[in-house]
Amino acid sequence: MTLDVKSILTRARVMDNYSYLLIDEKTKLSAIIDPSEVAPIVKVCNDLSIKPDYVLNTHHHFDHTDGNLELKKLYNLKIVGAEDRIPGIDIKVKDGETWALGESIAHIIDVSAHTQGHILWYFKDDKMLFTGDTLFNLCIGGLFEGTPQEMFEALKKIKLLPDDVSFYPGHEYTMHGVEDALRYNPSKELLEYVKNAELRLSKGLPVHPTKLGIEKKVNPYLQANTLEEFTRT
Ligand code: ZN
Ligand code: FE
């Protein structure tokens, strides 16, 4: 493991976004994923005496990019994303490419559906996947610029990733997903998952990181095996 990650809750109680601070342990290069709100991010950076070198975006929505320009000004950092709608974009990446934060290598996976140009940041060797508004705990993002077919294909790509990869979602939406998940398949695993989620949230902890192997079993949108089944969830 060469990558350290800190979860930062932003827009707390309004949209409950998660931004993330990534630190490559060997080179100390660092990046912010989806800076929704500047103040909580700057606080964490100050506490750790870190000057982030990059912003990495999953998609263009304001609640994932609102901090881009201010952080760029504050830290003179570079902004990395997949498309021109990302404010202040400096470096463009696309599906199938890799991008390096020091010695930590991210694989770029296009999952256009929630929006077009939505990407996943997959740090394969570190077994970390940043899913933005595509995959949340127990639910998925809405279809703003895509079709159910596109979302089904996007989730298929996630399902192909190894079970021991941990995912880091763009929002704390776990409790929004509980009811549908229970209706879809009230398995023993799901009941345990919900109990654990409630416990973590009651302590002020995020529900993530969750292993994909577990999420594949309890998230109704990952359990659907055909497009027909998927559109029924
Ligand atoms: Zn979004
Ligand atoms: Fe969002």
Side-chain angles (χ1 to χ4, degrees):
M1 293 273 282
T2 57
L3 192 64
D4 187 24
V5 55
K6 311 256 178 261
S7 302
I8 307 169
L9 184 65
T10 46
R11 293 176 198 263
R13 290 175 300 278
V14 183
M15 298 180 79
D16 288 330
N17 281 78
Y18 283 120
S19 303
Y20 298 97
L21 168 62
L22 309 185
I23 305 158
D24 177 64
E25 283 172 353
K26 293 264 173 62
T27 62
K28 299 294 171 200
L29 283 171
S30 58
I32 305 290
I33 294 202
D34 284 356
S36 182
E37 185 191 359
V38 170
I41 293 168
V42 169
K43 186 184 182 308
V44 171
C45 290
N46 283 346
D47 288 350
L48 298 170
S49 307
I50 279 172
K51 263 187 73 203
D53 302 284
Y54 299 96
V55 158
L56 314 178
N57 288 120
T58 60
H59 67 296
H60 76 91
H61 277 162
F62 74 95
D63 61 312
H64 299 255
T65 58
D66 251 8
N68 278 19
L69 297 181
E70 205 176 327
L71 291 181
K72 189 172 184 169
K73 227 195 277 166
L74 263 175
Y75 297 115
N76 194 27
L77 48 69
K78 294 264 185 278
I79 294 171
V80 193
E83 56 155 329
D84 291 327
R85 291 183 294 177
I86 306 257
I89 188 160
D90 296 296
I91 301 166
K92 257 197 228 173
V93 292
K94 59 173 190 287
D95 188 52
E97 290 181 356
T98 57
W99 184 85
L101 178 69
E103 295 190 0
S104 302
I105 308 297
H107 295 251
I108 308 301
I109 303 173
D110 179 273
V111 285
S112 294
H114 172 74
T115 66
Q116 293 304 305
H118 191 309
I119 54 172
L120 306 178
W121 290 87
Y122 174 37
F123 291 87
K124 191 176 173 188
D125 293 340
D126 297 274
K127 300 190 174 298
M128 290 178 189
L129 176 70
F130 295 87
T131 56
D133 282 359
T134 296
L135 180 67
F136 306 125
N137 291 86
L138 297 185
C139 52
I140 57 170
L143 293 170
F144 286 85
E145 300 172 5
T147 62
Q149 168 94 48
E150 283 175 310
M151 183 54 94
F152 183 66
E153 297 300 329
L155 297 177
K156 238 192 219 168
K157 293 182 183 178
I158 294 178
K159 285 202 273 186
L160 286 172
L161 300 178
D163 285 352
D164 61 350
V165 169
S166 293
F167 84 97
Y168 296 78
H171 292 265
E172 182 51 77
Y173 283 168
T174 314
M175 295 324 282
H176 299 292
V178 171
E179 203 182 307
D180 284 345
L182 282 171
R183 198 179 317 124
Y184 191 84
N185 178 11
S187 62
K188 213 177 98 200
E189 277 111 332
L190 175 60
L191 296 176
E192 232 163 77
Y193 183 108
V194 173
K195 212 170 91 185
N196 177 55
E198 284 171 341
L199 184 67
R200 286 184 62 84
L201 291 170
S202 74
K203 292 181 183 163
L205 296 169
V207 172
H208 70 263
T210 306
K211 295 258 194 286
L212 283 180
I214 297 166
E215 197 64 25
K216 288 174 197 175
K217 288 189 191 155
V218 295
N219 189 315
Y221 300 92
L222 294 181
Q223 291 176 74
N225 284 315
T226 63
L227 180 61
E228 290 68 47
E229 238 178 274
F230 176 72
T231 47
R232 261 186 273 131
T233 49

mmCIF file of all heavy atoms in Angstrom, residues 15 17 59 61 63-64 114 132-133 136 170-171 173, ligand 2:
data_model
loop_
_atom_site.group_PDB
_atom_site.id
_atom_site.type_symbol
_atom_site.label_atom_id
_atom_site.label_comp_id
_atom_site.label_asym_id
_atom_site.label_seq_id
_atom_site.Cartn_x
_atom_site.Cartn_y
_atom_site.Cartn_z
ATOM 1 N N MET A 15 -26.076 18.103 1.628
ATOM 2 C CA MET A 15 -25.989 17.078 0.586
ATOM 3 C C MET A 15 -25.109 15.898 1.002
ATOM 4 O O MET A 15 -25.029 14.911 0.288
ATOM 5 C CB MET A 15 -25.473 17.683 -0.714
ATOM 6 C CG MET A 15 -26.395 18.759 -1.273
ATOM 7 S SD MET A 15 -25.787 19.468 -2.812
ATOM 8 C CE MET A 15 -26.271 18.185 -3.970
ATOM 9 N N ASN A 17 -21.864 15.322 1.019
ATOM 10 C CA ASN A 17 -20.837 14.888 0.063
ATOM 11 C C ASN A 17 -19.628 14.326 0.800
ATOM 12 O O ASN A 17 -19.356 14.711 1.942
ATOM 13 C CB ASN A 17 -20.351 16.074 -0.773
ATOM 14 C CG ASN A 17 -21.299 16.428 -1.891
ATOM 15 O OD1 ASN A 17 -22.317 17.062 -1.670
ATOM 16 N ND2 ASN A 17 -20.959 16.009 -3.091
ATOM 17 N N HIS A 59 -16.862 13.899 -11.891
ATOM 18 C CA HIS A 59 -17.802 14.433 -12.891
ATOM 19 C C HIS A 59 -18.034 15.914 -12.625
ATOM 20 O O HIS A 59 -17.554 16.450 -11.629
ATOM 21 C CB HIS A 59 -19.098 13.625 -12.920
ATOM 22 C CG HIS A 59 -19.945 13.715 -11.682
ATOM 23 N ND1 HIS A 59 -19.527 13.259 -10.447
ATOM 24 C CD2 HIS A 59 -21.196 14.213 -11.481
ATOM 25 C CE1 HIS A 59 -20.483 13.464 -9.553
ATOM 26 N NE2 HIS A 59 -21.513 14.052 -10.146
ATOM 27 N N HIS A 61 -20.692 17.902 -11.884
ATOM 28 C CA HIS A 61 -21.718 18.509 -11.024
ATOM 29 C C HIS A 61 -21.113 19.430 -9.966
ATOM 30 O O HIS A 61 -20.064 19.129 -9.397
ATOM 31 C CB HIS A 61 -22.564 17.432 -10.335
ATOM 32 C CG HIS A 61 -23.662 16.917 -11.215
ATOM 33 N ND1 HIS A 61 -24.304 15.718 -10.974
ATOM 34 C CD2 HIS A 61 -24.239 17.437 -12.328
ATOM 35 C CE1 HIS A 61 -25.229 15.519 -11.908
ATOM 36 N NE2 HIS A 61 -25.208 16.543 -12.744
ATOM 37 N N ASP A 63 -21.717 20.031 -6.915
ATOM 38 C CA ASP A 63 -21.429 19.529 -5.567
ATOM 39 C C ASP A 63 -20.192 18.634 -5.529
ATOM 40 O O ASP A 63 -19.868 18.058 -4.480
ATOM 41 C CB ASP A 63 -22.651 18.812 -4.966
ATOM 42 C CG ASP A 63 -23.092 17.610 -5.752
ATOM 43 O OD1 ASP A 63 -23.224 17.716 -6.992
ATOM 44 O OD2 ASP A 63 -23.298 16.544 -5.147
ATOM 45 N N HIS A 64 -19.493 18.544 -6.671
ATOM 46 C CA HIS A 64 -18.224 17.807 -6.717
ATOM 47 C C HIS A 64 -17.077 18.694 -7.199
ATOM 48 O O HIS A 64 -15.913 18.294 -7.114
ATOM 49 C CB HIS A 64 -18.361 16.576 -7.620
ATOM 50 C CG HIS A 64 -19.404 15.628 -7.112
ATOM 51 N ND1 HIS A 64 -19.113 14.438 -6.492
ATOM 52 C CD2 HIS A 64 -20.760 15.745 -7.078
ATOM 53 C CE1 HIS A 64 -20.238 13.865 -6.103
ATOM 54 N NE2 HIS A 64 -21.251 14.635 -6.443
ATOM 55 N N HIS A 114 -24.793 8.684 -14.878
ATOM 56 C CA HIS A 114 -25.245 9.757 -13.973
ATOM 57 C C HIS A 114 -25.058 11.097 -14.702
ATOM 58 O O HIS A 114 -25.976 11.911 -14.761
ATOM 59 C CB HIS A 114 -24.439 9.702 -12.685
ATOM 60 C CG HIS A 114 -24.657 10.860 -11.756
ATOM 61 N ND1 HIS A 114 -25.796 11.005 -11.008
ATOM 62 C CD2 HIS A 114 -23.884 11.936 -11.461
ATOM 63 C CE1 HIS A 114 -25.706 12.128 -10.292
ATOM 64 N NE2 HIS A 114 -24.556 12.705 -10.558
ATOM 65 N N GLY A 132 -17.606 8.442 -7.067
ATOM 66 C CA GLY A 132 -18.398 9.642 -7.339
ATOM 67 C C GLY A 132 -19.882 9.393 -7.142
ATOM 68 O O GLY A 132 -20.295 8.829 -6.116
ATOM 69 N N ASP A 133 -20.693 9.804 -8.110
ATOM 70 C CA ASP A 133 -22.138 9.610 -8.005
ATOM 71 C C ASP A 133 -22.627 8.429 -8.838
ATOM 72 O O ASP A 133 -23.773 8.398 -9.277
ATOM 73 C CB ASP A 133 -22.882 10.878 -8.444
ATOM 74 C CG ASP A 133 -22.866 11.942 -7.353
ATOM 75 O OD1 ASP A 133 -22.301 11.688 -6.272
ATOM 76 O OD2 ASP A 133 -23.409 13.031 -7.589
ATOM 77 N N PHE A 136 -23.119 4.326 -4.638
ATOM 78 C CA PHE A 136 -23.146 4.671 -3.212
ATOM 79 C C PHE A 136 -23.363 3.377 -2.427
ATOM 80 O O PHE A 136 -23.744 2.357 -2.992
ATOM 81 C CB PHE A 136 -24.314 5.621 -2.879
ATOM 82 C CG PHE A 136 -24.369 6.871 -3.699
ATOM 83 C CD1 PHE A 136 -25.527 7.201 -4.398
ATOM 84 C CD2 PHE A 136 -23.287 7.737 -3.765
ATOM 85 C CE1 PHE A 136 -25.593 8.368 -5.150
ATOM 86 C CE2 PHE A 136 -23.343 8.902 -4.511
ATOM 87 C CZ PHE A 136 -24.506 9.219 -5.204
ATOM 88 N N GLY A 170 -19.317 9.206 -3.432
ATOM 89 C CA GLY A 170 -19.373 10.668 -3.456
ATOM 90 C C GLY A 170 -20.335 11.281 -2.449
ATOM 91 O O GLY A 170 -20.345 12.505 -2.273
ATOM 92 N N HIS A 171 -21.166 10.471 -1.824
ATOM 93 C CA HIS A 171 -22.107 10.975 -0.810
ATOM 94 C C HIS A 171 -22.323 9.932 0.283
ATOM 95 O O HIS A 171 -22.174 8.736 0.041
ATOM 96 C CB HIS A 171 -23.496 11.266 -1.420
ATOM 97 C CG HIS A 171 -23.550 12.396 -2.376
ATOM 98 N ND1 HIS A 171 -23.904 13.681 -2.021
ATOM 99 C CD2 HIS A 171 -23.296 12.449 -3.713
ATOM 100 C CE1 HIS A 171 -23.888 14.476 -3.084
ATOM 101 N NE2 HIS A 171 -23.510 13.749 -4.127
ATOM 102 N N TYR A 173 -25.104 8.334 1.472
ATOM 103 C CA TYR A 173 -26.516 8.096 1.169
ATOM 104 C C TYR A 173 -26.976 6.721 1.631
ATOM 105 O O TYR A 173 -28.049 6.261 1.227
ATOM 106 C CB TYR A 173 -26.770 8.219 -0.345
ATOM 107 C CG TYR A 173 -26.818 9.640 -0.873
ATOM 108 C CD1 TYR A 173 -26.790 9.881 -2.245
ATOM 109 C CD2 TYR A 173 -26.920 10.735 -0.017
ATOM 110 C CE1 TYR A 173 -26.846 11.178 -2.745
ATOM 111 C CE2 TYR A 173 -26.968 12.036 -0.514
ATOM 112 C CZ TYR A 173 -26.936 12.249 -1.876
ATOM 113 O OH TYR A 173 -26.985 13.513 -2.379
HETATM 114 FE FE FE B 2 -23.307 14.570 -6.158
#
